[in-house]
Amino acid sequence: MTQLFDPTTTPDTAPAGPYPASRLAITREFEVPDIHVPPSEEASPWVPWGDNAAIRHLAFDVRNNKFSNVLWVKGGGRLGVHRHSGAVRGFCLEGSWRYEEYDWVATPGAYVHENPGVQHTLVCDDPNGMKTLFWMEGTLEFYDDAGASTS
């Protein structure tokens, strides 16, 4: 019978459920670590982005080129034409926003999935602004109204 608890083991050698210690060691060395970002702005401050927006960075996975953040548009505004080289997922937390290129509006509780390479223009018509949690992969490229890269 397998012993469920051995006080002589260390976190690096103790089995956890069905995984042997060797699997846990590989995970600790090569995987993204478990994280907790507390709600305080001291841990992750709002970083101004332009005149009317801010970003709160939550996580960066540099091995897989993924990151997550909360975008806060403080009032109505247009963030500009942009394209992501990877997929994007978003979950609207507050307010509302849309893309000029589509006929839907994201409101609290709405989920958005963007395919890699799609170009769009984020607009917030809500005078109270919006906050959306985004999970992104790859690069983020911006373009001017003439289609030239500004990134």
Side-chain angles (χ1 to χ4, degrees):
M1 185 167 158
T2 304
Q3 187 173 1
L4 298 178
F5 176 74
D6 180 355
T8 64
T9 62
T10 66
D12 288 334
T13 61
Y19 298 111
S22 60
R23 168 67 171 103
L24 295 176
I26 290 170
T27 297
R28 285 190 181 95
E29 185 172 348
F30 297 108
E31 296 292 328
V32 177
D34 295 341
I35 63 167
H36 169 257
V37 179
S40 75
E41 289 188 38
E42 183 176 305
S44 178
W46 287 103
V47 178
W49 190 32
D51 297 330
N52 198 29
I55 297 174
R56 183 168 186 231
H57 298 289
L58 300 176
F60 293 94
D61 177 355
V62 295
R63 287 189 175 136
N64 296 301
N65 201 13
K66 298 178 182 180
F67 56 103
S68 62
N69 62 38
V70 177
L71 172 63
W72 176 19
V73 178
K74 299 175 184 179
R78 179 178 183 264
L79 293 186
V81 179
H82 65 278
R83 176 175 51 208
H84 299 270
S85 64
V88 175
R89 293 148 192 91
F91 186 80
C92 186
L93 302 170
E94 297 176 9
S96 63
W97 61 276
R98 62 185 176 85
Y99 287 130
E100 284 183 355
E101 297 79 9
Y102 301 110
D103 61 359
W104 51 261
V105 176
T107 56
Y111 172 79
V112 175
H113 175 85
E114 304 170 17
N115 287 308
V118 176
Q119 188 168 301
H120 41 243
T121 310
L122 193 146
V123 176
C124 177
D125 297 319
D126 191 324
N128 297 314
M130 68 79 134
K131 286 184 182 171
T132 298
L133 174 61
F134 284 106
W135 296 270
M136 293 170 269
E137 301 174 10
T139 61
L140 173 58
E141 305 159 353
F142 279 88
Y143 299 88
D144 64 19
D145 292 333
S149 175
T150 62
S151 300

